Amino acid sequence: TVADGNPVLSPAATARVIAAATGPQSSAVRDSSREAARRQLATLSERELDTARAIADGLGNPEIAERLRISVA
């Protein structure tokens, strides 16, 4: 799976992710995290936001470079 470029989480990491997402304080933590992310994103230039959006879309460096019409380097 990893050789095909797909991510893999260990069972322990998977359990932590599930606990964080479903725990009693998960909603408040998510809201706080979202607000912090919004504040950080507000400081980015439009070009940086384009890059962040491409990353959020799951694109790799070659695809991001193509989308933004820049070199991978």
Side-chain angles (χ1 to χ4, degrees):
T1 298
V2 173
D4 290 335
N6 297 310
V8 176
L9 290 178
S10 70
T14 302
R16 286 193 304 269
V17 168
I18 291 170
T22 60
Q25 295 182 3
S26 62
S27 179
V29 170
R30 279 194 305 270
D31 290 346
S32 175
S33 295
R34 283 187 188 124
E35 186 54 38
R38 283 186 185 106
R39 284 193 303 274
Q40 290 176 330
L41 287 171
T43 67
L44 298 179
S45 70
E46 191 60 37
R47 190 64 161 177
E48 291 167 329
L49 284 171
D50 291 340
T51 304
R53 288 181 190 109
I55 293 168
D57 287 343
L59 300 182
N61 289 346
E63 294 87 7
I64 293 170
E66 184 177 332
R67 180 184 283 186
L68 300 179
R69 298 186 179 128
I70 58 175
S71 73
V72 175

